[in-house]
Amino acid sequence: MKNINLLPKAKQQELEYETLFRGIVRFLEVAAVTFILVFLGQFAIWSYLRAEEVNLVGDIAQLKVITDKQDNAELKGQIREINAQITDFKNLLDSTPAWSKAIRTLVTHVPQNIRIGNISANVEKKQLEIRGYSPTRESVIDFYNAVRQDTDNFASINYPLENVAKPTDVSFSFTIVLQDSLLKK
């Protein structure tokens, strides 16, 4: 369907311009109102955030003062406690004999055919109890003599007679008292 306008051409042109003008004015009014609303909204949000920032900066400053005092005291207490534990462990380690050094020294005196089955250490008496097996009595005697001659490391060694009662298949046990110098680190 086609619209036919019977108004003169000048009047038709004038109506078109009026309609266009009203549309532009309406658009500008809506744009201005929208611009004002957006501007007011942004200003309100900016004001709110600025006030929150000032409050948070003040709160953070107060918390720093409080936590610096508490945390420093707590942290210093924790550091003192950890240092005390480390000192305790170091003192304990320093007072514990160096058994590995004593065992290494002892093993150098064991003849090849002797088998050590058990080594027990007594800290208070500074001695090692050794149990083992030897195919011959001579090997047990050689072991005893080697340890007895090493007076730099071993203070004494007991010599139970049952160690040499049998000529073969000897189960032996010795108690060896160690020198203090062997147990130091």
Side-chain angles (χ1 to χ4, degrees), residues 147-175:
V147 170
R148 196 183 73 182
Q149 290 173 358
D150 188 359
T151 56
D152 293 338
N153 295 311
F154 306 110
S156 66
I157 180 171
N158 75 336
Y159 193 64
L161 290 179
E162 57 266 4
N163 286 350
V164 291
K166 294 180 7 182
T168 59
D169 295 328
V170 179
S171 292
F172 64 89
S173 68
F174 289 113
T175 302

Side-chain angles (χ1 to χ4, degrees), residues 2-25:
K2 192 172 183 183
N3 286 341
I4 298 175
N5 193 349
L6 299 175
L7 292 174
K9 279 284 192 202
K11 192 66 173 166
Q12 286 180 7
Q13 190 72 27
E14 186 180 324
L15 285 175
E16 284 181 21
Y17 287 145
E18 263 183 45
T19 305
L20 179 64
F21 178 72
R22 270 191 243 122
I24 291 173
V25 168

Side-chain angles (χ1 to χ4, degrees), residues 83-99:
N83 283 341
Q85 288 176 350
I86 289 172
T87 302
D88 290 345
F89 284 126
K90 186 176 182 309
N91 291 340
L92 184 63
L93 184 63
D94 289 343
S95 67
T96 302
W99 292 109

Side-chain angles (χ1 to χ4, degrees), residues 12 14 16 45-46 49 78 82 86 95-96 103 111 114 120 124 128 132 140 149-150 155-156 158 162 164 180-181:
Q12 286 180 7
E14 186 180 324
E16 284 181 21
I45 291 172
W46 177 81
L49 291 176
Q78 288 174 348
I82 291 170
I86 289 172
S95 67
T96 302
I103 301 289
I114 286 184
S120 301
E124 288 113 21
L128 295 174
V140 175
Q149 290 173 358
D150 188 359
S156 66
N158 75 336
E162 57 266 4
V164 291
D180 289 338
S181 61

Side-chain angles (χ1 to χ4, degrees), residues 60-168:
I60 289 171
Q62 287 177 339
L63 287 174
K64 279 185 180 178
V65 170
I66 292 170
T67 57
D68 282 346
K69 291 177 184 175
Q70 289 176 348
D71 286 348
N72 283 344
E74 289 175 14
L75 188 60
K76 286 179 182 177
Q78 288 174 348
I79 290 172
R80 277 192 294 274
E81 183 179 330
I82 291 170
N83 283 341
Q85 288 176 350
I86 289 172
T87 302
D88 290 345
F89 284 126
K90 186 176 182 309
N91 291 340
L92 184 63
L93 184 63
D94 289 343
S95 67
T96 302
W99 292 109
S100 60
K101 184 178 173 186
I103 301 289
R104 276 194 303 261
T105 304
L106 178 69
V107 169
T108 61
H109 299 300
V110 177
Q112 285 188 352
N113 59 346
I114 286 184
R115 299 291 172 247
I116 303 290
N118 185 3
I119 298 177
S120 301
N122 187 327
V123 175
E124 288 113 21
K125 295 180 182 178
K126 297 180 184 173
Q127 56 183 234
L128 295 174
E129 292 181 29
I130 300 165
R131 299 187 190 289
Y133 166 79
S134 173
T136 64
R137 174 181 12 205
E138 288 77 23
S139 295
V140 175
I141 293 170
D142 290 342
F143 178 50
Y144 167 79
N145 288 333
V147 170
R148 196 183 73 182
Q149 290 173 358
D150 188 359
T151 56
D152 293 338
N153 295 311
F154 306 110
S156 66
I157 180 171
N158 75 336
Y159 193 64
L161 290 179
E162 57 266 4
N163 286 350
V164 291
K166 294 180 7 182
T168 59

